[in-house]
């Protein structure tokens, strides 16, 4: 179990010092039931295929992760040294639940999986700076007929 | 993550997110979020716990069927399955930690450590079929030589073609650390906790000593990027008590 109260004082203070602007909560996009939705994963874990360019500090671009990606093809180049990597090392699904999503598709609990998932590196930029990247990813998600994104931090 | 949720919804994509820091999510008000009481780096709780991971995933995606927003912030009720925080690890190299280690002492110790752990890393590769110690663009001994070279006076190590010098250094240290964690977790015994692994790496290994020795050197560098690596991308805050 890890909560802020379980962290070192420095780690907790650092997390609470982050710039956290308040968004309006809207729009609040509706859609079909979950079992009819086409779902993509969007992660801020700095994941990418091993053949892709690594993320540099302040890199605000995205990397594309094909839906048929294998665990051995995934690397992580996140700028922060202040989180655990050993879980991801042992099992990618602890960060990027691609196998669980495949199981949900097979069980009919979601309608479909996206052909492509997306990754950004969630450090070194302010919240408003991610807007152009988010809008570009949204356009690509629409082209993939995605109507639900699972957002996963690290 | 909350900002991404807001901007994707603005563009018409419904989102449901995981929150690792509830206090920040409360402030930022993404449309739908599931707070989980797990450590940073493990948003789905624990490795090789598929049933638990599935519960987290189902709980997050179930928020998409809710109509009582905007702004839904739910709490996942359970803690992650625990690793063994009492499990101890064996450092295979008797590294004496000289009081004023120079570059050659540290490099020799790091290379010896790698050689000693290599059979365990090979076993990790057999069982996992992958390594995440690949981001520097250097093989594991070259990563050690590259990092140790920064301890030499007036050195200016050359990164691989197309790579940045400072980024290559931080990724070299990351590769060396991840490679060692892969090797040590292939050894028999209960799965150690992430804290046990971090304490082992930073407190017991030659590579941890190398990274700690780099810290003051980088802070004095004339390169702003190297100073930036030294300040915030080398030693985790939870391990900085080891710095002199």
């Amino acid at each position: 179990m890890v909560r802020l109260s379980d962290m070192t004082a420095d780690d907790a203070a650092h997390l609470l010092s982050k710039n956290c602007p308040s968004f309006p909560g809207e729009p609040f996009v509706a859609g079909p039931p979950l079992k009819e939705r086409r779902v993509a994963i969007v992660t801020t874990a700095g994941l990418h295929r091993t053949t892709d360019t690594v993320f540099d500090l302040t890199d605000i671009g995205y990397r594309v992760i094909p839906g048929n990606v294998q665990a051995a093809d995934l690397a992580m180049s996140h700028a922060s040294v202040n989180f655990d990597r050993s879980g991801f090392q042992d099992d990618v699904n602890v960060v990027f639940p691609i196998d669980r999503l495949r199981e949900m598709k097979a069980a009919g609990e979601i309608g479909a999986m996206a052909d492509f998932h997306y990754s950004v590196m969630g450090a070194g930029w302010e919240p408003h700076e991610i807007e152009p990247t988010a809008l570009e990813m949204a356009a690509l998600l629409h082209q993939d007929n995605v109507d639900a994104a699972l957002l996963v931090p690290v | 993550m909350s900002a991404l949720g807001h901007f994707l919804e603005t563009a018409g994509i419904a989102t449901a997110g995981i929150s690792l820091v509830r206090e920040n999510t409360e402030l930022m008000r993404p449309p739908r979020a599931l707070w989980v009481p797990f450590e940073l780096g493990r948003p789905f709780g624990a490795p090789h716990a598929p049933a638990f991971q599935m519960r987290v995933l189902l709980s997050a995606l179930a928020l998409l069927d809710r109509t009582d927003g905007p702004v839904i912030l739910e709490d996942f009720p359970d803690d992650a399955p625990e690793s063994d925080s009492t499990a101890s690890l064996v450092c295979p190299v008797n590294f004496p930690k000289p009081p004023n280690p120079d570059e050659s002492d540290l490099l020799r110790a790091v290379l010896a450590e790698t050689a000693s752990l290599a059979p365990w890393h090979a076993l990790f590769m057999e069982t996992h079929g992958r390594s995440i110690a690949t981001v520097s663009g250097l093989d594991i001994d070259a990563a050690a030589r590259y990092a140790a070279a920064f301890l030499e006076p007036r050195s200016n190590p050359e990164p691989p073609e197309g790579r940045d010098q400072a980024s290559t250094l931080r990724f070299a240290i990351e590769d060396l650390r991840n490679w060692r964690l892969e090797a040590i977790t292939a050894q028999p015994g209960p799965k150690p906790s992430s804290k046990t692994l971090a304490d082992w790496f930073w407190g017991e290994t030659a590579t941890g000593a190398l990274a700690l020795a780099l810290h003051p050197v980088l802070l004095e560098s004339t390169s702003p990027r190297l100073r930036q690596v030294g300040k915030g991308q080398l030693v985790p805050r939870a391990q900085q008590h080891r710095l002199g």
Side-chain angles (χ1 to χ4, degrees):
Chain A
M1 144 176 110
V2 172
R3 297 172 172 81
L4 279 185
S5 56
D6 301 316
M7 295 180 180
T8 66
D10 282 351
D11 274 341
H14 174 79
L15 290 171
L16 292 177
S17 72
K18 286 183 177 292
N19 177 22
C20 294
S22 184
F23 293 108
E26 295 177 309
F28 186 79
V29 178
L34 179 59
K35 65 182 180 183
E36 297 174 15
R37 288 189 188 249
R38 184 172 170 88
V39 180
I41 302 171
V42 178
T43 175
T44 58
L47 300 185
H48 50 81
R49 293 181 298 174
T50 54
T51 51
D52 286 338
T53 305
V54 296
F55 284 99
D56 201 356
L57 185 66
T58 75
D59 187 336
I60 207 157
Y62 63 85
R63 305 291 185 272
V64 180
I65 301 176
N68 62 356
V69 73
Q70 300 300 305
D73 298 328
L74 283 173
M76 177 189 285
S77 57
H78 200 288
S80 173
V81 292
N82 294 297
F83 66 85
D84 172 60
R85 261 79 165 177
S86 66
F88 174 71
Q89 206 162 37
D90 204 15
D91 176 8
V92 295
N93 291 285
V94 80
V95 170
F96 188 72
I98 189 74
D99 293 324
R100 302 294 84 79
L101 203 59
R102 287 169 178 149
E103 290 160 9
M104 286 187 72
K105 168 65 177 70
E109 292 167 318
I110 59 171
M113 286 177 65
D115 285 340
F116 298 101
H117 308 278
Y118 296 89
S119 173
V120 300
M121 195 281 289
W125 42 265
E126 293 294 320
H128 69 275
E129 295 177 306
I130 199 67
E131 182 173 7
T133 304
L135 297 182
E136 190 174 336
M137 288 192 293
L140 293 165
L141 290 167
H142 280 300
Q143 286 182 30
D144 197 356
N145 296 313
V146 167
D147 54 11
L150 172 72
L151 307 182
V152 185
V154 74
Chain B
M1 182 52 69
S2 297
L4 263 180
H6 171 70
F7 294 127
L8 289 175
E9 297 255 352
T10 300
I13 300 289
T15 63
I18 300 288
S19 162
L20 287 164
V21 183
R22 196 182 203 288
E23 291 81 352
N24 291 353
T25 305
E26 287 173 13
L27 289 172
M28 296 186 75
R29 297 165 46 85
R32 304 169 194 81
L34 175 74
W35 174 71
V36 294
F38 313 147
E39 69 178 295
L40 301 185
R42 298 186 172 201
F44 287 87
H48 300 298
F52 188 87
Q53 293 169 358
M54 182 62 89
R55 282 187 55 219
V56 179
L57 181 59
L58 284 167
S59 299
L61 290 177
L63 302 179
L64 291 161
D65 281 339
R66 295 264 297 267
T67 57
D68 54 328
V71 183
I72 298 171
L73 176 55
E74 286 288 316
D75 292 345
F76 188 76
D78 298 321
D79 293 326
E82 293 278 351
S83 303
D84 190 343
S85 60
T86 63
S88 58
L89 296 168
V90 177
C91 183
V93 177
N94 182 19
F95 178 57
K97 293 191 180 70
N100 295 298
D102 64 20
E103 174 268 340
S104 57
D105 285 340
L106 280 168
L107 179 57
R108 272 196 296 273
V110 170
L111 295 175
E113 187 173 82
T114 300
S116 177
L117 285 168
W120 293 110
H121 194 266
L123 187 61
F124 178 90
M125 292 298 293
E126 284 176 26
T127 56
H128 288 70
R130 61 189 274 264
S131 169
I132 67 168
T134 60
V135 289
S136 68
L138 299 166
D139 70 43
I140 206 65
D141 283 347
R145 291 190 177 91
Y146 182 82
F150 284 85
L151 295 175
E152 295 177 35
R154 295 175 296 283
S155 67
N156 190 29
E158 281 285 327
E161 188 176 350
R163 293 294 192 106
D164 163 73
Q165 185 188 50
S167 293
T168 299
L169 175 57
R170 77 176 176 91
F171 287 138
I173 293 295
E174 191 161 317
D175 281 351
L176 288 162
R177 182 198 62 198
N178 287 333
W179 192 95
R180 276 148 179 74
L181 297 191
E182 289 169 351
I184 204 73
T185 53
Q187 293 185 347
K191 284 283 183 188
S193 69
S194 60
K195 182 177 185 310
T196 300
L197 289 169
D199 286 343
W200 171 76
F201 176 77
W202 290 102
E204 302 296 330
T205 69
T207 312
L210 169 62
L212 293 170
L214 282 167
H215 183 262
V217 175
L218 297 182
L219 292 185
E220 295 297 318
S221 171
T222 56
S223 159
R225 284 287 289 117
L226 287 173
R227 289 200 301 275
Q228 190 177 29
V229 170
K231 185 179 177 190
Q233 295 185 281
L234 187 66
V235 184
R237 280 185 297 275
Q239 300 291 336
Q240 288 184 2
H241 61 279
R242 301 181 193 279
L243 295 169

